[in-house]
Amino acid sequence: MSLDDLYRQVILDHAQHPRARGVLNGDHVIAVDLKNPTCGDHITLYVRLQDGNVQDIRFTGEGCSISQASASMMTDLLKGQSVGEAERIKNIFLKMIQGEALTEAEEEALGDAIALKGVAQFPARIKCATLAWKALEQGISEQSV
Ligand code: ZN
């Protein structure tokens, strides 16, 4: 199996079996609703930020496989991380999607999300892949206001 095929399977698996789908309510929960009109993707991200940690993170939404898989990979990866670490991983992901080279340690930090590396070659899909991460970015910045 080629790496491309493997990555494609990882993406489809996340899209079909999203890891942290659902809604969060209650204290310390930030909800961010974002759309990608060019593709029709829609994501609502729920993050419970408490004591400087991403205590819980879930999403709902619909759209193409890339947008949903990316949200699933991100929620899977960031749950339980500190806010600082979540931001660091987000920045690495955005760097990868812009086609910049990553170090081995950076690739490892991305977990399954490394499977979206090839999206960098398809500018029309970049917004699909970054939608959930932009929602995270917005959520964290709203919280620190
Ligand atoms: Zn899309």
Side-chain angles (χ1 to χ4, degrees):
M1 198 191 298
S2 75
L3 193 60
D4 277 354
D5 288 338
L6 178 69
Y7 282 174
R8 199 169 298 125
Q9 283 195 358
V10 173
I11 293 167
L12 283 177
D13 183 53
H14 272 277
Q16 287 163 2
H17 309 285
R19 303 301 193 266
R21 246 186 118 77
V23 175
L24 290 177
N25 288 305
D27 290 346
H28 309 287
V29 172
I30 297 159
V32 182
D33 199 55
L34 278 190
K35 288 188 173 77
N36 170 22
T38 55
C39 181
D41 308 319
H42 177 209
I43 279 175
T44 308
L45 183 72
Y46 301 88
V47 195
R48 180 178 288 125
L49 295 177
Q50 208 169 358
D51 305 324
N53 289 309
V54 179
Q55 209 191 51
D56 206 352
I57 179 165
R58 293 189 205 176
F59 76 101
T60 60
E62 62 274 330
C64 66
S65 297
I66 290 177
S67 67
Q68 302 303 302
S70 186
S72 171
M73 290 162 173
M74 184 188 81
T75 48
D76 202 23
L77 200 58
L78 300 188
K79 188 175 171 179
Q81 304 277 9
S82 69
V83 171
E85 181 64 6
E87 285 194 296
R88 188 180 79 90
I89 294 170
K90 177 208 62 169
N91 289 336
I92 296 170
F93 182 84
L94 295 178
K95 200 170 136 183
M96 174 184 81
I97 284 296
Q98 280 149 22
E100 289 179 45
L102 301 184
T103 66
E104 213 170 296
E106 285 176 329
E107 291 199 350
E108 255 169 50
L110 288 180
D112 282 356
I114 192 74
L116 291 169
K117 193 177 186 177
V119 173
Q121 296 160 37
F122 302 96
R125 310 310 300 275
I126 287 177
K127 280 187 179 164
C128 305
T130 57
L131 189 64
W133 302 80
K134 295 286 181 189
L136 175 81
E137 195 166 58
Q138 199 176 311
I140 291 175
S141 70
E142 277 175 19
Q143 190 247 5
S144 46
V145 167

